[in-house]
Amino acid sequence: VNSHPIECTKQAIRSAIAKSRVPEDRLHAENTLEWLLKLNGDADDALRIAALGHDIDRAVESLRVRKTDFSGFDAFKAAHARNSALILKDIMQTCGMDPALQDDICLLVSRHETGGDERSDLLKDADSLSFFQVNLPYYAARNDWDTTERRSQWGYQRLSLGARELISDFSYRNGRLNALLARIISQG
Ligand SMILES: [Fe+2]
């Protein structure tokens, strides 16, 4: 049992994500945490840890869920969220985290794609904002254009109205992505 379970957990999350094969995973984890704190500077420890670890599933090659194993994108995303929560549970137990805090963090992470309560909604917004700020150019480089468009529309739909205003300031080096973002915003 670690004497600082919260620090132990953050460190274990960061070291797991550092091993990810996906180049933007580390940036996205830190950037989601930054957005969380921009949206609410008083965000509690559970939310901060959930922000950092919400996508940990992607970084753990032996345990991660794969899009090709699911019939639809939402089913894949639900499994991804559940799996990230399970992986975090294991880390938190090892770090000796208070069980109630573990449960809270697991619930937040399992809801990060869909929201459903005020704190999960905040995490979802931070995650989506970070997708547009950090992930989209990497995503576009790895996927075909149709897939990138669909993913961006899906990402825009899950943003709150307040967050939609924030992304209208985003700009990319890739002009095609700027045009895509402008189109998505204008279509609402
Ligand atoms: Fe994410």
Side-chain angles (χ1 to χ4, degrees):
V1 173
N2 193 284
S3 58
H4 295 100
I6 289 175
E7 286 315 308
C8 170
T9 297
K10 286 182 183 166
Q11 207 171 54
I13 291 170
R14 287 187 164 114
S15 76
I17 291 175
K19 293 183 197 121
S20 176
R21 291 182 185 182
V22 184
E24 68 274 27
D25 273 359
R26 196 180 51 78
L27 285 170
H28 174 66
E30 302 293 343
N31 186 246
T32 300
L33 176 57
E34 282 169 28
W35 274 113
L36 172 77
L37 297 174
K38 267 184 226 172
L39 296 173
N40 181 359
D42 297 327
D44 55 49
D45 284 332
L47 264 170
R48 290 172 195 225
I49 290 169
L52 207 54
H54 71 280
D55 281 340
I56 196 168
D57 150 73
R58 279 196 219 148
V60 184
E61 201 51 38
S62 60
L63 299 174
R64 74 183 177 95
V65 297
R66 284 152 215 272
K67 213 185 309 192
T68 47
D69 291 339
F70 296 88
S71 54
F73 193 59
D74 289 337
F76 161 64
K77 283 293 198 179
H80 152 72
R82 275 197 307 273
N83 198 37
S84 286
L86 280 174
I87 294 168
L88 286 176
K89 181 105 191 154
D90 197 49
I91 288 175
M92 293 189 289
Q93 279 172 346
T94 305
C95 285
M97 178 89 82
D98 171 66
L101 198 50
Q102 288 184 30
D103 289 347
D104 189 20
I105 291 166
C106 286
L107 187 67
L108 287 167
V109 170
S110 68
R111 289 182 175 175
H112 83 265
E113 300 288 3
T114 51
D117 62 86
E118 202 180 322
R119 290 160 73 241
S120 305
D121 289 350
L122 193 64
L123 178 61
K124 182 175 81 155
D125 252 358
D127 180 27
S128 292
L129 284 162
S130 180
F131 173 80
F132 282 102
Q133 188 166 60
V134 165
N135 302 57
L136 181 55
Y138 292 92
Y139 190 94
R142 266 199 311 271
N143 291 280
D144 63 47
W145 188 251
D146 277 358
T147 307
T148 300
E149 278 206 29
R150 276 200 308 274
R151 177 64 184 81
S152 303
Q153 304 232 345
W154 183 86
Y156 188 76
Q157 292 309 317
R158 65 198 278 269
L159 285 169
S160 68
L161 295 178
R164 287 180 188 183
E165 286 187 14
L166 293 170
I167 70 160
S168 60
D169 292 338
F170 288 9
S171 76
Y172 303 99
R173 289 202 193 103
N174 177 346
R176 213 177 167 195
L177 289 180
N178 288 325
L180 170 62
L181 187 63
R183 197 164 61 247
I184 288 173
I185 290 170
S186 74
Q187 288 165 353

